[in-house]
Amino acid sequence: MSGALMQPTALKPSTEHLALPFFDATHREISTRLPDWANAQDVNESDDRAACRDWVRRLGDAGWLRYCVSAEFGGTLPQLDSRALVVLRETLAFYSPLADFAFAMQGLGSGAISLGGTAAQQQAYLPAVARGEKIAAFALSEPQAGSDVAAMATQAVEAPAWHLNGTKTWISNGGIADFYCVFAKTDAQAGSRGITAFIVDKNEAGLDDSEHIHVMAPHPLATLKLTNCKVAGNTPLGEVNGGFKLAMQTLDIFRASVAGAALGMARRALAEAIAHARGRTMFGHTLADFQLTQAKLGEMAALIDAGALLTYRAAWMRDTQQGSMKERSVAAAMAKMTATENAQRVIDMALQMHGGLGVMVGSKVESLYRDIRSLRIYEGATEVQQLIIGKAVLQ
Ligand SMILES: CCCCCCCC(=O)SCCNC(=O)CCNC(=O)[C@H](O)C(C)(C)COP(=O)(O)OP(=O)(O)OC[C@H]1O[C@@H](n2cnc3c(N)ncnc32)[C@H](O)[C@@H]1OP(=O)(O)O
């Protein structure tokens, strides 16, 4: 994004929702300061890798990445706060989905270290993540194991030192990360109970992250090939065979934040649609004068609010430990499913309202249309969220 190019109308996200009881002064403060900061950035996004690095550096310098780790390791809050992640991602995604991506992947990529790392691992990585000095990545998916995590084939063996063999793919920050949190099988017969997490440093011999994957939105993704690759400090991340639960607990936090990003994109699409409806004249009236337009804007606003309430509830439940772990997990799944699906619908409606201008390459609604699509897939596709909710309903 070039700030001047992408924000001709200087739109700002509304902060009215912050009056909801889910939020406190910390969240209101973030949402007061962040829009001015985000709006002032002028990052050239024509090269996604360079732009992502640039965003990480800027976010680190400005202190925003401190919300990705706990205060003990240079963060701002005593523990990872889901509501802070949600409001940060909502605001960043409103301005630049790539800035949101850069922020979120620092959190997701280091989340397992925050939750399950030893003190030495936390000290070695988290302060540098918070300052934007080390770029993090989360390596879970494989060519034959996307939604079905337990089917992964990458193996970790301790003989005599720990080393990894296998292929991970769709790895966000792949190619620009300084370290990867890699999940691998340590007991081939034990399904989800035979997976362990490890940290692998980028410069380790046997790590090849040079195969870039190009997707419809500009995001740095790569395949990660591991050949007899050593593990940082020769120490697993968390308990041996405890990696599946560590991955799920990390995803539980970040799934609600994906919903936050979807809200930010949907709010931007609605803001663009309102500006267009007010400015465009047709049959002697502005588009906004027509009831057909008002009905569509009304539906878009309601779709956003429905996603928002589920998202804020999920984040609040986690932060304040409401309900059981399973209930919090289901709330995060409901939030991710609803907010991302609704955002896709809202952005499509905004694009339709723009007519030909909406499909013009370079228009904001056109880029949002491409940006939103992957949110319904990554960190657990809509169908995975349906399964999580459906299983719980049956129980
Ligand atoms: C633009 C591009 C950006 C790209 C960004 C990319 C970032 C990513 O996408 S990261 C990867 C995303 N991948 C996913 O989200 C994976 C989706 N899959 C899943 O979530 C799971 O595999 C899922 C839900 C289908 C369940 O799998 P399944 O194998 O049936 O496991 P299940 O039987 O439910 O649980 C196994 C064990 O884990 C436990 N468990 C399950 N969920 C949780 C949880 N949330 N917390 C703690 N424990 C859990 C269960 O209790 C069970 O424990 P036990 O063995 O003691 O009984």
Side-chain angles (χ1 to χ4, degrees):
M1 165 186 81
S2 156
L5 189 76
M6 297 296 279
Q7 286 133 37
T9 44
L11 297 172
K12 245 188 170 183
S14 151
T15 51
E16 274 168 29
H17 57 285
L18 290 165
L20 290 168
F22 297 120
F23 297 110
D24 63 27
T26 305
H27 313 112
R28 284 190 277 278
E29 211 241 320
I30 295 170
S31 289
T32 312
R33 287 196 297 120
L34 185 54
D36 289 334
W37 179 84
N39 201 25
Q41 305 306 306
D42 191 9
V43 174
N44 179 350
E45 293 191 349
S46 55
D47 172 349
D48 57 22
R49 272 153 217 283
C52 198
R53 277 200 201 93
D54 194 2
W55 273 120
V56 170
R57 187 185 52 76
R58 287 172 189 239
L59 288 160
D61 287 350
W64 298 115
L65 293 177
R66 288 159 51 98
Y67 289 96
C68 290
V69 307
S70 73
E72 206 182 336
F73 302 106
T76 302
L77 298 170
Q79 57 176 24
L80 273 179
D81 182 279
S82 287
R83 289 165 297 171
L85 294 175
V86 163
V87 294
L88 270 147
R89 293 198 63 181
E90 193 175 328
T91 306
L92 288 172
F94 182 94
Y95 290 106
S96 163
L98 189 58
D100 162 62
F101 176 94
F103 172 82
M105 294 309 143
Q106 283 294 89
L108 181 70
S110 64
I113 303 178
S114 288
L115 296 180
T118 61
Q121 287 168 329
Q122 291 174 330
Q123 206 56 59
Y125 292 91
L126 298 179
V129 164
R131 292 192 297 266
E133 291 165 6
K134 274 189 196 289
I135 297 185
F138 183 76
L140 183 67
S141 304
E142 296 189 4
Q144 304 302 328
S147 293
D148 185 5
V149 173
M152 70 172 59
T154 296
Q155 281 198 336
V157 184
E158 192 182 15
W162 282 105
H163 59 269
L164 305 177
N165 281 288
T167 301
K168 295 285 173 183
T169 196
W170 312 113
I171 307 309
S172 306
N173 279 345
I176 62 166
D178 293 297
F179 68 92
Y180 295 85
C181 286
V182 179
F183 294 81
K185 276 274 166 79
T186 31
D187 181 344
Q189 311 306 321
S192 63
R193 293 182 177 190
I195 293 171
T196 305
F198 299 91
I199 305 169
V200 180
D201 289 321
K202 183 193 173 65
N203 293 329
E204 200 57 69
L207 183 151
D208 176 2
D209 58 1
S210 61
E211 190 182 314
H212 299 172
I213 300 170
H214 298 281
V215 289
M216 61 202 284
H219 292 146
L221 296 183
T223 294
L224 185 63
K225 291 180 187 148
L226 301 159
T227 313
N228 290 326
C229 187
K230 285 193 183 145
V231 164
N234 194 31
T235 311
L237 176 52
E239 286 173 25
V240 172
N241 295 329
F244 185 89
K245 286 187 185 169
L246 190 54
M248 292 303 129
Q249 285 163 354
T250 308
L251 286 167
D252 277 346
I253 300 174
F254 286 92
R255 276 176 184 156
S257 82
V258 177
L263 289 176
M265 294 182 204
R267 288 194 197 285
R268 180 62 185 262
L270 177 59
E272 296 285 343
I274 292 169
H276 181 72
R278 285 190 174 135
R280 174 99 167 143
T281 304
M282 214 175 267
F283 305 110
H285 294 272
T286 66
L287 276 187
D289 288 335
F290 293 105
Q291 285 192 331
L292 197 53
T293 306
Q294 292 160 17
K296 286 197 177 3
L297 293 173
E299 187 181 342
M300 290 158 80
L303 285 167
I304 293 172
D305 261 16
L309 289 171
L310 285 175
T311 304
Y312 304 151
R313 180 188 71 165
W316 167 78
M317 281 179 75
R318 183 182 176 277
D319 290 343
T320 56
Q321 298 288 293
Q322 306 290 324
S324 64
M325 204 170 85
K326 169 79 94 200
E327 284 165 338
R328 296 196 287 274
S329 201
V330 168
M334 285 186 178
K336 185 188 183 266
M337 178 183 79
T338 308
T340 58
E341 292 289 334
N342 286 7
Q344 176 92 58
R345 174 95 183 107
V346 167
I347 292 168
D348 186 50
M349 289 171 83
L351 186 149
Q352 187 73 13
M353 201 178 284
H354 278 72
L357 291 171
V359 287
M360 232 173 77
V361 174
S363 80
K364 185 64 188 172
V365 284
E366 180 271 339
S367 64
L368 284 170
Y369 191 79
R370 288 182 289 107
D371 285 319
I372 190 62
R373 189 61 186 85
S374 57
L375 274 68
R376 289 169 56 210
I377 297 172
Y378 73 68
E379 291 182 40
T382 289
E383 292 74 10
V384 165
Q385 313 309 330
Q386 288 169 332
L387 278 180
I388 292 170
I389 303 161
K391 264 192 192 175
V393 168
L394 283 169
Q395 278 164 10

